């Protein structure tokens, strides 16, 4: 029995795009605008975005926490999949990049569903965890342990292991953590890579794999996405 994943040729990548991606024109416009930035490669792919969208619908998530928003592509994918009473709290340190995101949230008519908190996401998570009421920057979002249905982790890679325990406390039982870039362009298996980001991702992968309190699946889509379900 084979343990191998299919190797994706350019033609197969095109085939996947052709027969699975139904990207709304506004999302495509955001990709085109982001492509003009020097940091454009931080944006998730449309294939991954659609994966996030379908996971949101399957999971029935109503409260989503996004760690790392950039110009807003993944947040659009989540927000457009939420039910009418659903909310997503987006965390980022950049006013400049999230200003672009805000424009697209408004154009998509999704701004009512999205809260944005600028600042260190580690601090933001701790505040939500310790709050006794919804913070004023995220009204109706929820607070305290077990208040979140789904978390998307896509920010500072060196801190992935530090985010992990906070996320596990914030997630309700049955809640889902989706962690991006868990293969980090292949560097996780290359010992010559010892930079903090690679070390952080390796440690995160080990933490999730060794944690008996979660179910885990590492999916080789895009740069690797781990699905971690709190038991
Ligand atoms: C890979 S990008 C996110 C891409 C985004 N999910 C998308 O779909 O386009 C990572 C983002 O994390 C943000 N970031 C980096 N360090 C952070 C921190 N300590 N707290 C919050 N956000 C941070 C960066 O400003 C950047 O916008």
């Amino acid at each position: 029995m084979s343990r191998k994943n299919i190797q994706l040729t350019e033609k197969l990548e095109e085939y996947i795009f052709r027969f699975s991606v139904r990207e709304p024109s506004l999302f495509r416009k955001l990709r085109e605008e982001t492509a003009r930035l020097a940091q454009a490669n931080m944006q998730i792919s449309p294939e991954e975005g659609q994966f996030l969208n379908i996971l949101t619908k399957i999971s029935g998530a109503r409260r989503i926490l996004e760690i790392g928003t950039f110009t807003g592509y993944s947040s659009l994918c989540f927000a457009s999949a939420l039910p009418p009473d659903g909310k997503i709290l987006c965390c980022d340190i950049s006013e400049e990049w999230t200003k672009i995101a805000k424009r697209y949230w408004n154009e998509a008519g999704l701004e009512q569903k999205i809260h944005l908190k600028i600042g260190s996401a580690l601090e933001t998570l701790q505040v939500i965890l310790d709050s006794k009421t919804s913070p004023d920057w995220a009204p109706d979002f929820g607070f305290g342990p077990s208040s979140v249905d789904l978390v998307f982790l896509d920010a500072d890679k060196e801190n992935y292991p530090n985010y992990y325990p906070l996320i596990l406390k914030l997630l309700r039982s049955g809640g889902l953590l989706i962690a991006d870039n868990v293969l980090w362009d292949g560097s996780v298996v290359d010992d010559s890579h010892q930079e903090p980001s690679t070390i952080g991702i390796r440690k995160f992968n080990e933490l999730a794999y060794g944690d008996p309190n979660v179910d885990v699946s590492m999916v080789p889509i895009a740069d690797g996405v781990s699905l971690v379900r709190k038991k």
Side-chain angles (χ1 to χ4, degrees), residues 17-202:
F17 192 88
R18 165 76 180 80
F19 287 105
S20 78
V21 177
R22 296 171 176 165
E23 189 182 34
S25 56
L26 185 68
F27 291 30
R28 189 189 169 95
K29 197 171 118 189
L30 171 57
R31 269 201 303 129
E32 286 165 358
E33 179 170 348
T34 305
R36 297 198 285 272
L37 300 177
Q39 300 81 1
N41 68 342
M42 292 208 297
Q43 187 173 52
I44 61 160
S45 67
E47 290 90 331
E48 183 179 349
Q50 200 166 286
F51 185 56
L52 301 179
N53 182 283
I54 205 168
L55 285 174
T56 306
K57 290 172 180 162
I58 293 168
S59 68
R62 290 174 55 252
R63 292 291 177 270
I64 299 179
L65 183 62
E66 174 174 87
I67 306 169
T69 295
F70 190 41
T71 59
Y73 196 93
S74 50
S75 61
L76 280 180
C77 297
F78 285 118
S80 59
L82 278 169
D85 62 347
K87 300 268 185 230
I88 175 168
L89 171 58
C90 294
C91 307
D92 207 288
I93 45 172
S94 171
E95 297 268 9
E96 184 193 340
W97 292 330
T98 54
K99 210 193 254 182
I100 299 173
K102 276 193 217 162
R103 249 198 295 120
Y104 282 85
W105 297 338
N106 287 335
E107 208 174 326
L110 292 168
E111 71 279 8
Q112 302 298 336
K113 291 185 171 179
I114 306 176
H115 300 305
L116 172 66
K117 178 73 175 113
I118 297 291
S120 147
L122 278 173
E123 283 173 27
T124 301
L125 265 61
Q126 194 65 59
V127 171
I128 302 169
L129 204 47
D130 296 341
S131 290
K132 300 282 174 250
T133 54
S134 286
D136 55 6
W137 34 263
D140 308 327
F141 184 74
F143 52 88
S146 305
S147 57
V148 176
D149 301 313
L150 191 157
V151 177
F152 182 50
L153 178 56
D154 189 19
D156 40 338
K157 311 303 169 194
E158 58 275 23
N159 271 318
Y160 269 33
N162 298 325
Y163 286 116
Y164 187 74
L166 290 175
I167 291 170
L168 262 281
K169 282 182 196 157
L170 280 166
L171 276 177
R172 66 164 167 82
S173 172
L176 181 65
L177 160 61
I178 307 173
D180 200 17
N181 306 108
V182 294
L183 300 178
W184 208 218
D185 204 22
S187 64
V188 285
V189 292
D190 181 345
D191 286 346
S192 70
H193 281 276
Q194 294 300 334
E195 44 301 290
S197 54
T198 308
I199 291 171
I201 289 176
R202 282 189 195 123

